[in-house]
Amino acid sequence: MSGLWGLAMSASAVATLMLDGWQDDLHIRAIAILFGLSAIVAYPAATIIAQFLTRRGRFETRLAAQLLALASVTLGVTSLAYAFYYRSYFAMWHDTTLSITWTYQLVFTVLGALYQFAVFGMRLYLPVGIPALLLFALWQSSKPR
């Protein structure tokens, strides 16, 4: 299931980029890989968190927990992966490792990346991601415990 979730998130990113008229295949591929691998990592963690929160709860409770956990963990893992990628790009201009200046540069580069992902990256989940989120959460919530 984790692979299907990753495929759905990659498809969502690619669909948005194609609708926006992106023509750079290399960047589309990199974004699709980032979204897909992040979703693959996030899915098991989100499922475990949701099951922990709703051990034997009613269907509505399990559904709400699945929706919340799957959305937030997927967004969190993807934004952190984006921040690491962003930081690695700007690392060549940063000061020597573990200096005070380097620490400021690291913190503000990561914060800038998280902000940039929140503003520009989250919209890549909209065409396919929301329906996929509902389907996966419904499927996970309907499984007997």
Side-chain angles (χ1 to χ4, degrees):
M1 277 322 284
S2 187
L4 287 175
W5 179 244
L7 187 63
M9 295 304 100
S10 285
S12 180
V14 169
T16 303
L17 295 175
M18 298 302 264
L19 289 172
D20 285 350
W22 276 42
Q23 296 177 359
D24 185 1
D25 290 340
L26 183 63
H27 286 108
I28 290 174
R29 192 174 303 123
I31 291 170
I33 290 169
L34 175 80
F35 274 63
L37 290 178
S38 297
I40 288 171
V41 169
Y43 188 81
T47 303
I48 291 168
I49 290 169
Q51 288 174 356
F52 177 75
L53 292 174
T54 61
R55 298 195 189 261
R56 299 205 191 284
R58 296 182 10 212
F59 173 76
E60 298 83 12
T61 307
R62 292 194 316 266
L63 178 62
Q66 282 292 338
L67 285 168
L68 180 65
L70 198 53
S72 60
V73 174
T74 300
L75 285 173
V77 169
T78 308
S79 65
L80 285 175
Y82 177 77
F84 285 131
Y85 176 76
Y86 193 88
R87 169 35 186 124
S88 70
Y89 174 79
F90 285 103
M92 68 178 86
W93 295 289
H94 285 188
D95 205 16
T96 57
T97 305
L98 299 178
S99 67
I100 292 177
T101 304
W102 175 85
T103 305
Y104 281 117
Q105 290 168 335
L106 173 70
V107 168
F108 286 104
T109 300
V110 170
L111 289 175
L114 294 175
Y115 172 76
Q116 189 177 36
F117 180 80
V119 172
F120 298 115
M122 286 177 52
R123 70 184 179 84
L124 299 179
Y125 288 111
L126 293 180
V128 177
I130 300 299
L133 174 66
L134 292 172
L135 287 174
F136 277 81
L138 279 168
W139 180 76
Q140 283 288 358
S141 301
S142 65
K143 291 188 338 187
R145 302 282 170 229

